[in-house]
Every structure is written in C-alpha cells, then in structure tokens.
Amino acid sequence: MNLARLLRRAAQVAPDNWAVAHGHDNLRRFGETEARVAALARRLLTDFGLRHGDRVALAMRNSPQYFELLFAAWHAGLTAVPINAKLHPKEFEYILGHSEAKLCFVSTDLAEGVASVALPGLRTVCVDDPEYERLAAGEPLTIADCAPDDVAWLFYTSGTTGRPKGAMLTHCNLLTMTMGFFTDVDSIDAGDCVLHAAPMSHGSGQYILPHVAAMAKQVIPASGGFDAAEMFDLMRVHPGMCVFAAPTMVRRLIESPMARSADSSNLKTIVYGGGPMYVADLKRAMEVLGPKLAQIYGQGESPMTITAMTKARHRDITHSRYEQRLASVGVAQAAVEVRVGGNDDETLAVGEPGEVLVRGATVMRGYWRDPEASAKTLRGGWLHTGDVGAMDADGFLTLMDRSKDLIISGGSNIYPREVEEVLLRHPAVGEVSVIGAPHPDWGEEVVAYVVGRTADGVTAAELDALCLDHIARFKRPKRYVFVEALPKNNYGKVLKTELRRIEAKNKAGA
Ligand code: AMP
C-alpha cells in the first residue's frame, strides 16, 4: 500500500475537481496535480539518484508545492521529512544530518539558512525557481510498491533530552489516521476544502490526507501562514471549509475585529488541538463562530489520533456532564486503545490520574535511529505519551497536566532542557531552570530563572542574544528572573513544580 494511491484515485474518479487553491484562486485540478506529482516522482529518482526509502526534506512555508512534493515523495517510495519553517538554521542542520536527507526542497525565504548548512551530499532545490517547474513537467512514474511498515513521514518532535526525535510514521499509520478522521472527527464532501493556516510540517499537514481521500480541495493562504483577517477573507471565497487551529489561533481568530461582522457561513469545521483549550475560550468561540468546533488529541507519535470530540458532542448542551465534557479531550478514537496507566503501567480506576497510554495502528514504528528512546516510549507495546490524564466512567479522557516540563506557547512545543542548555553556555550563568508561566494570549510564556556564577553577573539582553544565536526565536525566554538559588530536592534536583509556585506567587504579588 502507498498513500500516493489516494491522489491517484482522486485523479481517476474526479479529475476535474479542484485539488489546490492558492489564496482566492483555484490553482489545479486533481488530474493535472497527479500528473505533476508522477513527473516529480520520476525526477526524484532519475535526476537526483534517490532510492526507495531515501529521505527528502521539506524546509518550506505552506505552499502549493508542499502538497505535491509530499505526494511525489510517497509516489516514488521515498520518506518525506517536513521541517518546521520557524526553526533556527542550526536546528535545520541537526534534522537534515540526523535524517541523512539527500535532497532538501526549500522556499526562497529559507534558502539562505539551509544553504549555510554544510552537509556533504545534501542537494537543495528552491521551489520558487523555474527549475522546479521543469521537474514537474515530464514523463510519469508508476507508483512505487510500499509495505505498510515503510516510513512515509519522519515527524521530528523536540525530545525531552533537548534533541529532536524523528517519529517514524508509516504508510499504514497515516492511512489509519485518515480513516479515523471520518469515523471520529468529521465528514468531508467532495466540494469541501481544508485551509492550511497552521504549519503543513506539523498540525495542518495531517489534514491533507483525509481531504485527498474525500477528493476535496487544499487551500493554501497567500501569506503561507496564520492571519486572522486573511482567514475570514478566504472563508468568503471557499465553501465547506475545515481548518486545523491550535487553541491560540482560535483565540486570536475570535478576538479579531472581523470576527463578529465577517460572513463565516462557508466555515464548516474548526478542529482544535495540540494544546489545552480553556472552557471559557471554547464557549466564546462557539458563540462567535457557531457550533462548528471539534477537538482532537494526538502527538507526533500518534498524530491526530488518540482521542476526539465531535461537533455533535460540543453541541450537546443538555447533557448532565456537559461542562466536564467540554473540559475533556473526548473519547478514544475507534482505531486505538487508550488507557490510563499507573507507575507499573497497570490500568488505573475511573477518575484516577496517570499516564495516558495508547496502542493501535496509528502509533509510530519507533524513533528514527534511536532504539533506546523507541524501546522506552513503546515499552510493553504501548505508546507512553508523557501526558497525565484521567478517564471518566463514560470513557471521556481529561488531561490534567502535560509531561511535567513541556511548555506550550502559541501552539508550539518548547522543551525547557533545550533552552537551558543554550543559556548554560554563557560563562556567567551558574544554574538555570526554564518553566512555562500562564499567559493570556500564548497559553504559556517561557520564563528563565537564572543563578549567576560570578558577582558581576549577566544581563537579560546578553542571554537573549545567545538564544537568538542558537535556537528558534519562539523558544527563547520572554522574561529572565535572576535569583540566588533554585529550589531543589534532597537529591539536588531542581523542583520545577516549586518554581512554578514561586512564579505564580510573584505574579500575584506584582
Ligand atoms: P506534538 O507532538 O507536537 O503534536 O504535541 C503533542 C502534545 O500536545 C501532547 O502530548 C499533549 O501534551 C498536547 N496536546 C495535544 N492535543 C491536545 C489537546 N486536545 N488538549 C490538550 N493538550 C493536547
């Protein structure tokens, strides 16, 4: 089985349905799109000498080319490695090196950053150059045979050790995810579309497949990203619209000046997830946009596919436990088993909080070239999500907390350890601990608690410059708090829970 067959099927059955739009304009139909994809696939093998299973990286903002390159990679039996466009060149370098990608497609704005990466054997192609169009116009390739376990997408998440890990998502994982959308999340008709306002390298990219399976259209905003005014504008033009949005995006959308006046009748569904959604925000969103919200809970290791809550459940206001349900992440998806495990993975009783464990055909094969982390995360045949949750008697899961230290700011995951390692490079920094503090717009903001090594100390500006040199902008602390010492337990470990308490107290007293 090969995911590229979904596009082939759409091209055969509905060649004249629109497949891609850019901004307001419909760009290509399924017939033409598939011809370009089959030509690109041939060139990947003939012009670049790639072989079955080789990795092709995509360091691009959202664009129509993103969509065709994903399918071209699959069509040729290759593994796609989408990379978040917001990462720092050093992070690109790590992912490109670790995945051993032989070819990287870049958009103009990222071309310079990727070109500065000195990796032997890595070739780059800018999708905005005329060269790209030449690659997309040639003889077609027959779709490669792929085993269900062949890796289709190397999904790089940030690891808790600070290094990103590549979750190996197979053709079977992603096909099961695709079917799960229809069973557990929403319906899609052929005249519908998906708007990619979130990065196609992560959250939004997972919505490409169900829409191709339903022979519906991909809409790529001209800005290549999220802009509330642009979203409302595109809603006027493209009917039957589904959008994936992190909770921060939903909040920004409903706070936009256009929210109450714009015609959003073409908006069919907003699927939110990727971070906690506060009930008050959810209610406001439903009040402004109508009963159009659905929720998913997933992670890179089982994308989009742990639990879900349909629009119908969001609308079920007469249910006796409506409020609790709104605060939950819904019920286990049909394709997976979800349970809450204790210290030894034993299943906990209803209402008892523990780690969320997942088993099923959507769970990754493991982490790329990291057998130790794979064995640990998948021990006993269950995906250990690192999320703490509790299940109610009706099977609704509520997440109590995330894996203790993860910070989610503006829908992006930030691992404190990674930021701490950078700050500790400064010779005047003795100790540091990075935590997330609640923030009304971003969900959380990054705060660094710093203990100076020397009496002459260090300034926030110096630390900020250091971060800008090494990690993506969105990961750097928004505030620095200089302290004499960090709270620690008897083993000398920093107590982040205590630090968060101190932070909350300081804020309340401020
Ligand atoms: P990522 O691997 O980047 O997709 O991040 C996955 C993490 O985001 C999960 O392990 C959860 O901690 C969090 N997450 C995802 N979906 C939800 C949701 N619907 N509600 C709360 N947290 C979520």
Side-chain angles (χ1 to χ4, degrees):
M1 74 107 357
N2 184 327
L3 292 168
R5 296 206 176 275
L6 295 177
L7 182 63
R8 179 87 269 271
R9 188 180 80 118
Q12 229 167 8
V13 178
D16 296 327
N17 279 18
W18 288 110
V20 197
H22 195 208
H24 283 191
D25 305 324
N26 288 326
L27 195 65
R28 283 190 195 97
R29 300 176 193 271
F30 274 106
E32 189 194 348
T33 301
E34 211 266 340
R36 286 169 63 87
V37 164
L40 277 163
R42 174 176 290 281
R43 294 306 192 114
L44 291 176
L45 303 187
T46 56
D47 290 22
F48 299 98
L50 301 180
R51 296 280 164 268
H52 196 97
D54 280 347
R55 273 76 58 212
V56 177
L58 307 178
M60 297 155 57
R61 293 196 185 279
N62 292 357
S63 64
Q65 294 95 322
Y66 215 114
F67 169 60
E68 49 191 27
L69 281 169
L70 268 180
F71 277 91
W74 297 332
H75 192 116
L78 307 169
T79 299
V81 188
I83 309 179
N84 186 343
K86 284 194 267 177
L87 293 186
H88 189 277
K90 286 189 180 154
E91 294 167 309
F92 279 118
E93 181 167 5
Y94 176 76
I95 294 173
L96 289 166
H98 185 256
S99 65
E100 290 176 41
K102 295 203 169 125
L103 177 62
C104 181
F105 286 94
V106 293
S107 42
T108 309
D109 49 330
L110 296 174
E112 203 181 313
V114 174
S116 70
V117 167
L119 288 169
L122 176 71
R123 293 169 73 181
T124 57
V125 173
C126 179
V127 295
D128 302 312
D129 287 352
E131 153 84 355
Y132 179 80
E133 281 306 304
R134 198 182 58 76
L135 296 175
E139 287 299 304
L141 180 79
T142 308
I143 294 182
D145 269 337
C146 283
D149 244 10
D150 281 353
V151 182
W153 186 317
L154 257 192
F155 190 104
Y156 273 87
T157 60
S158 299
T160 36
T161 55
R163 282 294 197 194
K165 290 204 235 13
M168 292 188 279
L169 301 177
T170 66
H171 285 265
C172 173
N173 291 152
L174 296 175
L175 186 64
T176 311
M177 175 200 82
T178 303
M179 301 300 128
F181 185 92
F182 300 104
T183 317
D184 292 292
V185 186
D186 205 14
S187 62
I188 309 174
D189 296 321
D192 290 346
C193 67
V194 56
L195 172 67
H196 294 290
M200 290 167 89
S201 61
H202 283 76
S204 207
Q206 291 147 21
Y207 294 76
I208 295 172
L209 280 161
H211 285 83
V212 171
M215 302 174 203
K217 183 171 68 178
Q218 318 282 321
V219 179
I220 323 287
S223 69
F226 173 75
D227 179 289
E230 184 183 31
M231 268 176 84
F232 281 116
D233 180 45
L234 290 172
M235 264 176 222
R236 278 191 309 106
V237 180
H238 301 288
M241 182 178 282
C242 171
V243 188
F244 168 74
T248 330
M249 288 167 62
V250 176
R251 200 175 315 118
R252 282 169 61 191
L253 196 64
I254 58 172
E255 278 169 5
S256 135
M258 293 176 72
R260 288 185 188 266
S261 59
D263 175 8
S264 60
S265 53
N266 276 336
L267 177 68
K268 183 176 170 185
T269 309
I270 289 193
V271 185
Y272 65 89
M277 171 75 113
Y278 299 107
V279 174
D281 288 339
L282 181 54
K283 286 183 172 169
R284 265 183 65 220
M286 288 194 284
E287 187 220 318
V288 175
L289 299 168
K292 298 179 178 179
L293 283 99
Q295 181 182 199
I296 56 95
Y297 157 49
Q299 56 177 206
E301 293 81 349
S302 182
M304 203 215 277
T305 41
I306 301 177
T307 63
M309 191 151 62
T310 57
K311 288 188 283 192
R313 293 206 201 281
H314 281 82
R315 279 197 295 258
D316 190 10
I317 53 172
T318 56
H319 195 280
S320 57
R321 284 198 294 280
Y322 180 62
E323 291 284 324
Q324 288 100 307
R325 288 190 167 183
L326 277 194
S328 80
V329 290
V331 301
Q333 295 200 16
V336 289
E337 293 170 78
V338 180
R339 64 188 182 93
V340 173
N343 289 340
D344 298 317
D345 284 359
E346 75 283 9
T347 301
L348 297 178
V350 161
E352 249 187 83
E355 185 171 15
V356 179
L357 306 177
V358 188
R359 183 164 72 177
T362 59
V363 173
M364 66 163 181
R365 206 173 96 182
Y367 292 116
W368 175 254
R369 304 226 159 125
D370 197 340
E372 211 176 295
S374 305
K376 190 166 168 239
T377 306
L378 298 174
R379 64 189 182 275
W382 290 83
L383 168 65
H384 291 67
T385 60
D387 289 319
V388 178
M391 197 75 90
D392 76 8
D394 303 337
F396 283 73
L397 178 72
T398 299
L399 293 185
M400 335 288 288
D401 202 356
R402 299 177 292 270
S403 56
K404 272 199 320 243
D405 303 332
L406 175 69
I407 300 169
I408 301 185
S409 185
S412 295
N413 286 355
I414 299 164
Y415 287 87
R417 170 88 182 265
E418 195 187 359
V419 184
E420 289 162 6
E421 275 172 4
V422 171
L423 294 173
L424 284 165
R425 289 175 186 220
H426 195 289
V429 171
E431 283 186 289
V432 66
S433 186
V434 168
I435 56 165
H439 187 276
D441 291 327
W442 300 105
E444 287 185 303
E445 66 173 356
V446 182
V447 182
Y449 275 73
V450 180
V451 182
R453 188 185 293 281
T454 53
D456 28 352
V458 52
T459 64
E462 278 169 59
L463 294 177
D464 201 44
L466 185 66
C467 288
L468 282 172
D469 247 347
H470 290 94
I471 46 171
R473 292 185 81 84
F474 70 88
K475 295 181 186 172
R476 72 199 212 281
K478 298 288 173 293
R479 277 190 292 122
Y480 292 90
V481 184
F482 295 93
V483 288
E484 299 261 320
L486 296 171
K488 290 184 184 156
N489 67 10
N490 289 339
Y491 301 98
K493 289 196 179 170
V494 176
L495 292 167
K496 292 211 181 213
T497 322
E498 178 63 11
L499 207 51
R500 281 191 279 263
R501 209 184 53 76
I502 295 170
E503 165 69 25
K505 220 170 104 197
N506 287 349
K507 232 194 174 155

